[in-house]
Each structure stands twice: as C-alpha cells, then as structure tokens.
Amino acid sequence: MMKRIGYVLVLCVVFAACKDKSKFVINGEFKNAAPKSKVYLFGLQKDNALPLDSTVFSEKGEFKFTHSTPGADFFRISVGNNEYMIIAKNGDEIKITADLADKSLAYTTSGAAEADKLQELNTTKHEYMTKIAAIQTQFDEAVTAQPDKREAIMEQMRPQYTAEIEGLNKAVLKFAEENTESLAGFYAINLLNPSEFEKEMVAYSDKIKSKFNDNAAVTEFLKRMASLKAVQIGHTAPEFTITGIDGKPVKLSDFKGKYVLLDFWASWCMPCRQENPNVVKAYNTYKDKNFTILGISLDKDPAAWKKAIADDKLTWNHASELSDFEGSTVRLYQIEAIPSSFIIDPKGTIVAKNLRGEELDVFLNKTLR
C-alpha cells in the first residue's frame, strides 16, 4: 500500500514537472454562445488591443487558447461586443466562465494566482455594479411613471447613487493598495478616475516602482506618474510656450508675479461650458487683486473655440495648440479629462488644482487679501 502511494506521488511530481511552462492556456466556457461563432484573444499594448488569436465555440460554448508571453501581462477575450480581461503568464492554466446574455459582463476566472486575484476584484466590482444598476432601473421606472418630475427624482436618488459610486471607488482603491505585488492590483488602480485619485495613484506608483519591470503597461504608468508628480501641489509649475488666440507666443513666465489660473477646457466639453459662469464670476471678482486667467483650449476647430469664448464672455487670455489631448502643453500638465485647472502663485508654485464653483471662490477669497 505504501509503495502504491509513493508511486502515485512520484507520478504527480513528474506530471507537474512536465507541465509546459513556455505557454499559458485559457479554457473558456460561455453560456448562450452560438456554436461555431468566433471568439478572439487580444493582447494589450498601451491603449491598443492587438489581435493574437481566434477560434470558434464548440457546441457546448467551450473554447481554448494557447499562447506565450515574455512575462505576466494583460489579455482580453472578445466575443462580439462583450470583452473580458485576463491576466496570464507562461505556465498558467486559466479557466474563464461567462454568460454572453449577461449585460453586466460578469465573469469568473480561476486556476492561477493572478486569475484568482482578478476574480476577487471582479466579485467586489460586481457587488457594487449590481446595486448601481438597480438604482438606475429604479430611476428609469420612476421617470417613466412621472416624466414631468425627472429633475426632482434625480435629486432624490442622487445621494444613494453617489454613495454606491464612492463605495466602489474606495473598495477598488483598497484592493489596489493591498495587492501591490499583483498585476490585479495594478489593474484596479487604473479603474479609478485619474482626476479624482491623482494623489493616490502617484503614491501607488512609488510602491510598485521596482516591481513588474518586464511589463510595458506598468512601465508606461510609472513614466506617466513621474510626469504627474511634476504638476502636484507644492511643485514649481512647468514652463511652456503656447500660441495665443492672436497668433503670438504666450509663456507661463509672462504671468510671473500674479496668481494665475490655468484653465484647460474646450468648446465641445459640456461640463466645461457649465463651469464657465463660475470662472467668469471669479475673474470679475478678483481680477484687480493680482489674479488672472489663461484659458488653454483643447479644441481642434479654431472657429468653434473663438465662438465659445465670445458666447461665454471669457474676457481673459486664451491660447491653444488646436490638438485635442495631444498638445504638448496639455501633455506636459498630464491632462486626461477636462475641465482641469491649476492655480499658480506669484512665485510660480502650484498651490491648488481643479477647484470649481464655490471651492474656487472660497480659495481665492482666502488667498487674495
């Protein structure tokens, strides 16, 4: 009997040793998949999805991919408009299950350390997303029943909706901070809005600086966070030269000695246009107290840019590279969403960021005495 057990153990060791560690395997089982329909495997490079392989579903909705990767990395399974994230490294044998009829795109992964961690994150996300979807359904039903009370219903339900969004963000951040050894943690931090969690993302980048050295996405993130550090509160605002609305060059140093609000916006950005009355009010209130504004537009259409300036009565200095998010000044200041703004003091130090409405007025009233 002991000899038999020993023989079985030896077989197990041999089997494990023979496992192909030069590739990873993804075994999928999807409900409501049309037999012989296509399923795709994509790799991710920066913001681009690169097609790596494709296959077809079996009669039971099963599929299999075998691929190799230099190091642990992100991959995406795509079926029609449905997409599912996977983290894999050579030697992993991952199982993914999903229901293609599930509009929430819930799915499970298992079989490897990163797959298990990703499943933990997905479970947390799904719990919150289910509650958020329920609130949305409740809102839609209430508005259908009383369409004339849409705004009142929205105001009534907003606190509950906001609380769930905030809960989701906190849970995702907590997961990221507790899993700095895992690419699932890195994936989590990138689910957050950079304009809201900038400080936390920069701090997270310091924690993973010497990890995942072979991962292109992490390397790109660390470079971006290093640039973002340069435009944190307390740092000297990076100098730039940009083309003014009159075609002449405008430098940040032209405003040295004053408090200046750098306001990144665009004519097509509705939140920007909605915020403009607050910016106009701040300018008119404090322009004689050593305060000015430089509006930097992400517009591509100069006519639309100039019309918005006139329509919104934006009577301060304006400049643009007419290059959307690809302008050198926009990239220098790491703008990923608008409106975005920076307040720079007379010495050239960033003293505030992204203040809007009453917050902007309170800060200026306190500072410009």
Side-chain angles (χ1 to χ4, degrees):
M1 182 67 176
M2 290 298 295
K3 286 183 178 180
R4 182 178 297 176
I5 292 173
Y7 180 65
V8 170
L9 289 175
V10 168
L11 280 179
C12 290
V13 171
V14 170
F15 178 79
C18 292
K19 185 178 180 180
D20 187 357
K21 294 189 177 181
S22 66
K23 297 177 181 180
F24 65 85
V25 177
I26 299 174
N27 291 298
E29 186 176 326
F30 284 10
K31 293 181 180 179
N32 292 301
K36 304 301 180 182
S37 61
K38 284 271 192 175
V39 54
Y40 297 88
L41 175 68
F42 287 88
L44 302 180
Q45 189 175 73
K46 292 188 177 180
D47 294 328
N48 298 317
L50 304 177
L52 300 176
D53 201 354
S54 66
T55 187
V56 295
F57 285 106
S58 71
E59 294 293 328
K60 295 181 179 180
E62 297 173 333
F63 64 90
K64 181 177 180 178
F65 286 117
T66 302
H67 199 74
S68 63
T69 176
D73 212 341
F74 297 95
F75 300 87
R76 182 179 293 160
I77 304 293
S78 294
V79 183
N81 293 325
N82 291 24
E83 296 181 337
Y84 308 92
M85 182 68 73
I86 290 285
I87 302 173
K89 69 179 187 305
N90 290 342
D92 287 349
E93 187 159 345
I94 298 167
K95 182 172 182 179
I96 176 172
T97 62
D99 184 347
L100 294 180
D102 184 353
K103 293 181 180 179
S104 72
L105 299 182
Y107 67 106
T108 65
T109 59
S110 61
E114 288 286 10
D116 293 342
K117 275 294 177 185
L118 185 60
Q119 178 57 38
E120 183 183 333
L121 172 63
N122 285 342
T123 298
T124 299
K125 277 174 53 189
H126 185 64
E127 288 174 358
Y128 279 97
M129 294 306 295
T130 299
K131 290 185 282 188
I132 292 167
I135 295 171
Q136 183 65 52
T137 299
Q138 185 182 351
F139 171 77
D140 292 340
E141 290 173 351
V143 170
T144 299
Q146 297 178 297
D148 57 321
K149 294 185 178 180
R150 189 178 196 279
E151 293 302 321
I153 295 169
M154 183 181 294
E155 286 305 310
Q156 180 185 358
M157 300 185 68
R158 191 191 305 276
Q160 184 183 1
Y161 182 83
T162 301
E164 294 299 342
I165 292 291
E166 290 176 351
L168 172 61
N169 286 335
K170 287 179 181 178
V172 169
L173 177 60
K174 183 174 184 288
F175 179 90
E177 291 176 337
E178 291 178 349
N179 291 279
T180 55
E181 302 290 332
S182 166
L183 275 179
F186 172 72
Y187 174 60
I189 202 73
N190 281 277
L191 294 175
L192 299 172
N193 185 338
S195 63
E196 294 181 30
F197 292 90
E198 181 180 285
K199 181 180 177 181
E200 291 83 357
M201 294 177 82
V202 169
Y204 178 86
S205 72
D206 288 335
K207 294 177 183 178
I208 65 165
K209 191 169 291 185
S210 59
K211 304 167 186 176
F212 316 115
N213 292 330
D214 57 351
N215 187 277
V218 175
T219 300
E220 183 66 24
F221 174 79
L222 293 176
K223 287 180 182 177
R224 186 159 51 89
M225 290 302 109
S227 298
L228 195 54
K229 274 188 177 182
V231 290
Q232 294 290 293
I233 292 173
H235 286 67
T236 299
E239 174 67 304
F240 61 82
T241 301
I242 190 169
T243 303
I245 197 167
D246 59 1
K248 297 178 181 178
V250 177
K251 297 180 180 179
L252 177 61
S253 54
D254 294 340
F255 302 92
K256 198 161 188 179
K258 285 190 173 186
Y259 281 91
V260 58
L261 171 67
L262 292 186
D263 182 28
F264 291 87
W265 72 294
S267 66
W268 45 259
C269 167
M270 284 305 103
C272 302
R273 303 296 295 273
Q274 290 166 359
E275 180 63 20
N276 275 345
N278 296 321
V279 184
V280 169
K281 180 182 176 182
Y283 180 71
N284 290 335
T285 302
Y286 300 104
K287 65 182 179 181
D288 297 325
K289 296 184 178 182
N290 204 36
F291 172 74
T292 191
I293 298 174
L294 173 59
I296 299 178
S297 171
L298 278 67
D299 277 287
K300 286 187 171 182
D301 180 353
W305 170 39
K306 293 174 182 178
K307 184 178 185 301
I309 291 171
D311 289 347
D312 293 0
K313 298 179 173 58
L314 313 182
T315 58
W316 47 82
N317 296 285
H318 291 276
S320 179
E321 291 155 324
L322 300 173
S323 299
D324 200 67
F325 284 90
E326 299 305 313
S328 59
T329 304
V330 173
R331 298 182 76 173
L332 177 65
Y333 277 76
Q334 295 296 300
I335 304 301
E336 296 192 4
I338 52 175
S340 288
S341 63
F342 300 77
I343 297 180
I344 301 166
D345 74 7
K347 294 181 181 179
T349 302
I350 298 170
V351 292
K353 295 178 69 171
N354 296 322
L355 298 181
R356 312 207 214 297
E358 187 177 348
E359 287 183 331
L360 176 60
D361 183 69
V362 169
F363 178 86
L364 293 176
N365 185 52
K366 179 181 178 181
T367 305
L368 303 174
R369 294 186 181 277

